[in-house]
Amino acid sequence: MISFKELAHSNHRFLGMFIQSTSSEFVEIVGYTGFDFIIIDMEHSPIDYSTSRVLAQAADAAGIVSTIRVAEKSPVSVCKALDTGVSGVVVPGISSVSDAEAAIGYARYAPLGVRGACPCVRANRYGIGGEVFYKKANETTSVILLLEGKSAIESFDAISNIKGLDAILLGPVDLSHSLGFPGQIHHHAVTNALIDMINKGKERNVCIGVFCTELQEAKRWFEVGVNYVVYSVDTMLFAETCSKLKASLMN
């Protein structure tokens, strides 16, 4: 199975989804329907490390690339997430060069970073992978920086030039709050800020994606030039489907 890094460097558009339920069945369904990757969300869901490992196993079974959004940008959070065997981590709250460099270092073994080394984790096939695992992990593990605030916009040029960066994900919801338009993700100030960062990312040949929850919006972002879209959340899509079904049958 390919890695997120290979998706990011494929020069092809690709599609992901956030997973906030603890259901391995949802993960498998997303994989079987042809999505390219998932983000197991440990920041805004009840998913713990034990559950994240099960979801990563389900992703492998369904042939879909898995990543984890950690709850915080800390070495322990990143280490424990990667030990599950996912292809990469999405690190939230990146607002400066120092944030970005620290996040990348958390995901790399020495001498490239400070990731804690344990030979018997799932990522190393419980020890069967051997010593070559550490070098391979440094080469293949992806770090996706989640930029969501006004300060991230101001630091975008510097952040996007950092060595070791695999991809950037833009979060319009938190960005709308930071810019003073809470929840108004279609406000022109939010949209303009996103487009500006997307264009800068394209100029620097940086893999850049955006989160959205509407089909036409996803199509528009691809037309603008993003490399990937993270489309909605498993629980939200299920809720929307149930609501539409109820309205169609009972109204």
Side-chain angles (χ1 to χ4, degrees):
M1 188 169 65
I2 67 172
S3 64
F4 184 91
K5 189 181 289 287
E6 290 173 296
L7 287 175
H9 293 281
S10 67
N11 293 319
H12 296 294
R13 302 186 310 186
F14 55 103
L15 183 65
M17 183 187 297
F18 272 112
I19 300 295
Q20 289 190 350
S21 76
T22 59
S23 168
S24 59
E25 289 85 356
F26 274 6
V27 170
E28 291 178 299
I29 290 168
V30 176
Y32 294 148
T33 52
F35 277 68
D36 298 293
F37 77 106
I38 57 168
I39 302 175
I40 299 166
D41 190 2
M42 296 187 67
E43 183 181 18
H44 293 296
S45 79
I47 296 172
D48 58 18
Y49 287 108
S50 178
T51 303
S52 69
R53 183 178 63 181
V54 173
L55 299 182
Q57 291 170 326
D60 287 350
I64 185 171
V65 173
S66 61
T67 64
I68 288 178
R69 172 161 72 174
V70 295
E72 59 184 5
K73 48 180 185 288
S74 73
V76 173
S77 293
V78 171
C79 177
K80 288 177 73 68
L82 291 175
D83 282 351
T84 67
V86 294
S87 186
V89 286
V90 179
V91 184
I94 301 298
S95 60
S96 66
V97 170
S98 60
D99 284 343
E101 290 177 337
I104 293 169
Y106 297 157
R108 303 282 188 263
Y109 290 114
L112 302 181
V114 296
R115 178 179 172 183
C118 176
C120 54
V121 296
R122 179 176 184 264
N124 192 26
R125 301 183 179 183
Y126 308 103
I128 296 174
E131 295 178 2
V132 296
F133 161 71
Y134 303 111
K135 182 177 184 296
K136 183 179 179 181
N138 276 352
E139 294 172 348
T140 61
T141 298
S142 289
V143 178
I144 303 104
L145 303 179
L146 181 51
L147 309 187
E148 310 170 276
K150 185 178 179 181
S151 55
I153 298 174
E154 297 167 349
S155 302
F156 185 87
D157 289 349
I159 291 173
S160 60
N161 282 323
I162 290 176
K163 183 180 179 180
L165 168 64
D166 293 298
I168 286 173
L169 175 59
L170 303 178
V173 181
D174 277 325
L175 182 59
S176 70
H177 285 259
S178 179
L179 292 176
F181 308 101
Q184 300 178 50
I185 61 174
H186 299 300
H187 191 282
H188 66 87
V190 178
T191 300
N192 289 343
L194 292 171
I195 291 175
D196 182 57
M197 288 188 284
I198 290 167
N199 288 335
K200 288 181 178 179
K202 286 162 51 178
E203 291 172 1
R204 293 165 171 77
N205 199 30
V206 173
C207 180
I208 191 162
V210 66
F211 170 75
C212 65
T213 59
E214 299 174 15
L215 181 59
Q216 291 304 315
E217 186 181 17
K219 291 180 178 179
R220 183 171 65 87
W221 285 125
F222 275 131
E223 291 171 356
V224 169
V226 298
N227 300 91
Y228 67 100
V229 164
V230 179
Y231 189 82
S232 199
V233 182
D234 58 346
T235 50
M236 179 181 288
L237 283 174
F238 185 66
E240 289 174 353
T241 300
C242 290
S243 297
K244 290 176 181 177
L245 178 63
K246 171 64 164 53
S248 176
L249 289 176
M250 305 304 291
N251 290 342

